[in-house]
Amino acid sequence: MNSLVLHTSFIFMKRNILLLIAVFCLLSFTSCIVSKQYVQYISSKEEIIEPQTKNVLVFATENVRVNEFSKTFQKNFTDKKEFTASYLNDFLQEAKSSDLFSNVSVDVLNSTYSSLNTEYVDYVIHFSNFEISNRIEFQQTGGMGMNGMGGMQSSTSIEYCVISVKVEIYDTINNKEILDFVVIGEEAVFLFNFTKTLQKAKERSITHIINYLKSGKTQYEKY
């Protein structure tokens, strides 16, 4: 009788431990899911009507603040002008592949709206206030002890490259700004490949711009 009770108690305790482990794993997984707003400070005066039929001109101002990843920046770009030209070219390719507008062209010579030739353009998109920085994310990890209680815990850190850009859109027909916002792109450093990290952060900021203009999406889940 005693052995039967002990055996039943052992099975019950084992099931409880397995249940605790399952709950712990589920909580650990869901806690890693982060919803972040990558399009911020939105100021909308008017909507872009039927963007797929519009001709758009894009230009950038060379005010780039390189707060972090400065060695990587210098390795890949001779100066800030080359970086903004690269950003414009990447945006051009992404906008064309997404069919966001009827036609997209880039102006790399002028840096002010008033100096542009907008005779055959419906909208102008201006990129400015580029900032390259980083953020460090700390994560707690821990194991389950033999008694079902928490085991040893450790902390790991992940560095992210963060690129933010101010985006302004002008209606050239009425000669006025109709929309502006700040977009963020970021990527975690993996295997010390800082060049790839910087490029990916840049690409993601552009993707967030395209997605916002197409669908109004501002938040993304990140694991």
Side-chain angles (χ1 to χ4, degrees), residues 24 142-153:
F24 176 79
M144 185 69 68
M146 292 299 294
N147 59 356
M149 305 300 290
M152 295 293 292
Q153 288 194 344

Side-chain angles (χ1 to χ4, degrees), residues 75-87:
K75 176 183 175 181
N76 290 274
F77 306 101
T78 55
D79 53 23
K80 295 176 179 180
K81 183 176 182 178
E82 184 179 354
F83 173 81
T84 56
S86 172
Y87 197 93

Side-chain angles (χ1 to χ4, degrees), residues 36-155:
K36 184 172 181 178
Q37 188 166 343
Y38 286 100
V39 181
Q40 305 175 351
Y41 308 109
I42 302 168
S43 177
S44 178
K45 291 84 175 177
E46 294 181 15
E47 292 185 358
I48 301 177
I49 302 172
E50 298 181 347
Q52 67 275 10
T53 67
K54 306 301 182 182
N55 293 319
V56 174
L57 178 64
V58 185
F59 77 108
T61 307
E62 297 164 20
N63 54 340
V64 183
R65 296 189 299 277
V66 186
N67 300 329
E68 299 290 341
F69 292 85
S70 56
K71 291 183 179 179
T72 306
F73 185 90
Q74 294 169 6
K75 176 183 175 181
N76 290 274
F77 306 101
T78 55
D79 53 23
K80 295 176 179 180
K81 183 176 182 178
E82 184 179 354
F83 173 81
T84 56
S86 172
Y87 197 93
L88 289 171
N89 182 68
D90 289 351
F91 178 84
L92 174 66
Q93 302 305 319
E94 183 73 14
K96 285 183 176 180
S97 64
S98 66
D99 295 322
L100 178 60
F101 301 109
S102 174
N103 182 63
V104 183
S105 56
V106 167
D107 188 318
V108 295
L109 300 177
N110 297 288
S111 58
T112 62
Y113 174 76
S114 59
S115 63
L116 299 172
N117 180 8
T118 60
E119 184 178 359
Y120 302 105
V121 177
D122 299 300
Y123 294 106
V124 166
I125 300 179
H126 177 209
F127 298 134
S128 65
N129 293 22
F130 292 90
E131 183 172 1
I132 301 173
S133 58
N134 74 333
R135 71 178 182 87
I136 307 296
E137 182 178 282
F138 294 94
Q139 296 181 347
Q140 294 289 338
T141 58
M144 185 69 68
M146 292 299 294
N147 59 356
M149 305 300 290
M152 295 293 292
Q153 288 194 344
S154 61
S155 176

